Amino acid sequence: MSPKSFKCSKCSKTANDKKLSVNCDSCKIILCGDCHGMTPTEVRVFELKTIARVVSFLCVDCKSLMAQIPNIMKQLEDLPKEVHHLRLRQNMLVTEGAIQELAERTKRANNIIIYDVPESTSDKPL
Ligand SMILES: [Zn+2]
Ligand SMILES: [Zn+2]
């Protein structure tokens, strides 16, 4: 196997043209020319290592993840608030439960338990 051959992470095609392959800067998968959707010129610019590279390539998966980051950040911001609300709600439920149990016990304590109920007189054959 030639050291220059690589396997595309997307289509699993083994290709030899390293020039047309691209590594995702985030998840480091290697994509072939068919899958990364860049022109050879774009790839060459992307692969320039002599200058400080400001261009970063992200695969489709990472791009869609990046697009979700603002939403995720927003959800993370709201999380402590939500936890606080849930705790309050839980406390309320616990208190409600305790009150109900207390009421139930009081009700039961007031019930008159009748003793001396005549037992069944039927003979049980052994
Ligand atoms: Zn591919
Ligand atoms: Zn990626």
Side-chain angles (χ1 to χ4, degrees), residues 13 17 71 77 82 99-100 103 116-117 123:
K13 191 170 72 187
D17 194 357
N71 286 338
E77 267 173 41
E82 241 170 83
I99 290 169
Q100 261 174 25
D116 297 328
V117 177
D123 292 320

Side-chain angles (χ1 to χ4, degrees), residues 24 26-27 29 59 62:
C24 172
S26 179
C27 66
I29 64 164
C59 69
C62 290

